[in-house]
Amino acid sequence: MLSRSTHVLVPSGLEQSPTPKRGRGRPSNASRVEAAAALAQTALPTAVQPDERFVNIAELARRVGAHKDTIHRWIRAGIIPPPIRINLRVIRWNASTIDAWMAAIGKASAS
């Protein structure tokens, strides 16, 4: 059986519930809370040593001689070590991990 949903005939059972519209397409507070909870489940450093140094994406790009967009592509491809999420908006890389990765890449390209 077909039901009338707005201006389109849709088979019964396939109707979509109307989604409330918020200003400028911003997510609701509930979806932000869900996103924050999901990010909280991501791996955080369990024991950060006080003498560890972290680098941001701009410094990492300078170190490897690549653009920030290239760094993001490398993260998605798994080429570069994954970053450490400091909070919801901040990611950093452990400097010693990056140095070891660069040394391994240098040895691999020298061989």
Side-chain angles (χ1 to χ4, degrees):
M1 170 161 195
L2 297 176
S3 65
R4 188 171 201 89
S5 174
T6 56
H7 300 292
V8 180
L9 291 176
V10 179
S12 61
L14 296 179
E15 301 93 0
Q16 295 181 353
S17 62
T19 56
K21 298 285 184 187
R22 293 184 56 99
R24 298 185 184 169
R26 295 178 62 196
S28 67
N29 281 340
S31 63
R32 284 190 218 141
V33 169
E34 290 170 7
L39 281 175
Q41 299 299 320
T42 59
L44 291 174
T46 54
V48 175
Q49 302 301 321
D51 59 343
E52 283 186 312
R53 185 169 184 288
F54 293 98
V55 295
N56 63 10
I57 193 162
E59 186 175 343
L60 179 61
R62 278 192 304 273
R63 281 184 174 205
V64 299
H67 193 269
K68 291 191 295 187
D69 293 341
T70 303
I71 301 294
H72 285 294
R73 259 191 312 266
W74 289 351
I75 294 168
R76 285 192 302 272
I79 296 171
I80 197 165
I84 298 170
R85 182 169 295 283
I86 304 297
N87 63 29
L88 294 177
R89 297 181 64 186
V90 178
I91 61 172
R92 298 288 189 262
W93 284 263
N94 188 317
S96 60
T97 304
I98 293 301
D99 292 339
W101 173 75
M102 289 174 63
I105 294 297
K107 287 179 185 174
S109 65
S111 304

